[in-house]
Amino acid sequence: MAYWIFMFALLLSIVRVLHASAGDADPIYKFCLEQCEKTGCVGEKCFQHCKFSSDGIPIDGPWYLQEPLYLRWKQWDCQSDCRYHCMLAREEEREKLGDKPIKYHGKWPFRRVYGIQEPVSVALSALNLAMQFHGWLSFFILLYYKLPLRPNKKTYYEYTGLWHLYGVLSMNSWFWSAVFHSRDVDLTEKLDYSSAVALLGISLILAILRAFNVRDEAARVMISAPLIAFVTTHILYLNFYKLDYGLNMKVCVAMGIAQLLIWAIWAGVTHHPSRWKLWVVVVGGALAMLLEIYDFPPYWGFIDAHAAWHATTIPLTYLWWSFIKDDAEYRTSILVKKVK
């Protein structure tokens, strides 16, 4: 459930970026940008990689060789630094006039920390990654060290492999979320969106198989194969043909709504002892989504609505893995009784 909330919030952030921003059209900001790219300076601050020779070649070699080693990975170039410092300068002027912050190039005016674009979102993405790892590891320990195993040392729980795959893809998705918030470039954007789509795909498969209690291997393959083919094709399309935000939004929302409905209906009809946890995640996730819809500017240049949403997913992730572990215990107890 938490994965659907994660993906829907990501889609909302994509939609917001697609719209032109008020800061882009600000004449003072545009003039600052033009001057910076010519002179390499914003006020008294100048950038070595904005200095060019008469033939347009950067002085002292490529800009990335002029940065300290620990900063070169960021790929900051002349345009990026000019945009950032002109934005800060313009926002300081607007603040003195009593104006509220506005967006520039689809993003709120965040302050960098050691070259990281959105430090709070990065930190919270890392915490979500840690929470996913904790959930997956505790699930692994429960299955193989606390619950009874079959004579062949395999688990009784029929969905073990699927939840392991879900855990790996969840951690992968949060890892690339942290990287993307650290530095927004084409590569990190594609990796972030692709990993989120892959997570959404396995989540839909899991929702169908668990809610309908599909245990036959042939039936599982028949359900999973077309969905895996579809998700794989979609990811290849986004990465190697066209990063179509509109199409991606439609595909992901459709898969997200489908699995949300499956889990919600199943929670309503099942007698599962931990079904209340499903409802808490659904309701809590819906309330958390209000942060994405409200979308307020960053406080102190660091904490915006999206960062606050990242914080809400941490307890929801803990509860979601708690349900998964409860389900493993519930199904194992039933199957062990049948064997006896």
Side-chain angles (χ1 to χ4, degrees):
M1 200 71 62
Y3 44 78
W4 181 84
I5 300 164
F6 166 69
M7 192 61 210
F8 192 73
L10 175 63
L11 292 171
L12 284 177
S13 65
I14 292 171
V15 173
R16 286 198 292 270
V17 169
L18 288 177
H19 294 286
S21 304
D24 305 357
D26 185 285
I28 299 177
Y29 169 77
K30 290 170 70 176
F31 179 75
C32 173
L33 206 58
E34 291 172 3
Q35 292 302 307
C36 177
E37 292 179 354
K38 289 178 182 177
T39 65
C41 298
V42 176
E44 297 181 356
K45 189 171 183 63
C46 297
F47 320 110
Q48 180 68 24
H49 48 263
C50 279
K51 295 180 180 179
F52 300 92
S53 62
S54 58
D55 57 1
I57 299 174
I59 298 172
D60 298 330
W63 63 267
Y64 52 82
L65 294 179
Q66 301 158 20
E67 296 281 7
L69 181 62
Y70 72 95
L71 291 178
R72 291 177 192 170
W73 66 274
K74 304 187 316 309
Q75 297 187 29
W76 296 120
D77 55 13
C78 180
Q79 184 187 62
S80 299
D81 270 339
C82 285
R83 284 183 175 184
Y84 174 70
H85 289 283
C86 283
M87 174 191 73
L88 290 185
R90 182 62 182 129
E91 281 302 303
E92 288 176 4
E93 294 172 359
R94 289 175 53 81
E95 186 178 2
K96 291 177 182 177
L97 296 172
D99 296 329
K100 294 181 179 179
I102 56 176
K103 290 186 177 183
Y104 297 80
H105 307 285
K107 291 182 176 290
W108 289 113
F110 288 97
R111 291 186 176 274
R112 296 179 190 168
V113 175
Y114 296 109
I116 297 174
Q117 271 184 300
E118 301 176 40
V120 174
S121 289
V122 171
L124 292 171
S125 291
L127 284 174
N128 273 284
L129 170 59
M131 189 59 67
Q132 289 286 353
F133 177 73
H134 173 270
W136 170 77
L137 184 62
S138 60
F139 174 69
F140 180 88
I141 293 172
L142 173 70
L143 285 173
Y144 293 98
Y145 294 97
K146 295 182 179 180
L147 294 178
L149 297 172
R150 296 178 186 272
N152 59 4
K153 300 301 180 181
K154 291 185 178 180
T155 63
Y156 281 95
Y157 189 49
E158 312 98 317
Y159 306 94
T160 299
L162 289 168
W163 284 120
H164 282 325
L165 181 58
Y166 164 79
V168 171
L169 290 178
S170 293
M171 289 183 280
N172 175 69
S173 188
W174 281 112
F175 172 79
W176 289 115
S177 172
V179 173
F180 176 65
H181 286 300
S182 298
R183 182 66 176 100
D184 178 3
V185 296
D186 287 343
L187 177 61
T188 59
E189 181 182 44
K190 288 180 178 180
L191 288 169
D192 183 37
Y193 295 166
S194 297
S195 60
V197 171
L199 175 59
L200 195 60
I202 187 62
S203 300
L204 177 57
I205 291 170
L206 260 167
I208 295 171
L209 298 183
R210 181 62 191 96
F212 291 96
N213 199 24
V214 181
R215 287 173 285 177
D216 181 71
E217 288 299 324
R220 287 186 174 190
V221 171
M222 290 178 65
I223 294 169
S224 302
L227 288 172
I228 292 172
F230 174 76
V231 169
T232 302
T233 302
H234 182 63
I235 290 173
L236 291 173
Y237 177 86
L238 294 176
N239 282 274
F240 300 106
Y241 183 70
K242 181 182 179 183
L243 188 57
D244 190 328
Y245 297 102
L247 174 64
N248 189 50
M249 182 176 65
K250 291 174 184 177
V251 169
C252 294
V253 167
M255 289 196 294
I257 291 175
Q259 59 194 273
L260 179 68
L261 289 174
I262 290 170
W263 283 119
I265 294 171
W266 184 69
V269 300
T270 186
H271 296 292
H272 197 288
S274 296
R275 61 186 179 276
W276 65 271
K277 293 182 180 180
L278 279 176
W279 287 116
V280 172
V281 173
V282 171
V283 175
L287 293 174
M289 288 311 305
L290 295 176
L291 291 169
E292 285 294 310
I293 296 170
Y294 179 51
D295 188 31
F296 54 81
Y299 287 101
W300 312 291
F302 296 110
I303 305 171
D304 69 333
H306 188 67
W309 169 79
H310 273 311
T312 65
T313 58
I314 295 171
L316 292 176
T317 297
Y318 178 84
L319 192 62
W320 179 241
W321 274 107
S322 176
F323 165 75
I324 295 169
K325 289 182 286 185
D326 288 350
D327 187 51
E329 290 188 70
Y330 176 64
R331 288 297 306 165
T332 299
S333 65
I334 292 175
L335 293 172
V336 168
K337 288 177 182 178
K338 287 183 178 180
V339 171
K340 292 181 180 178

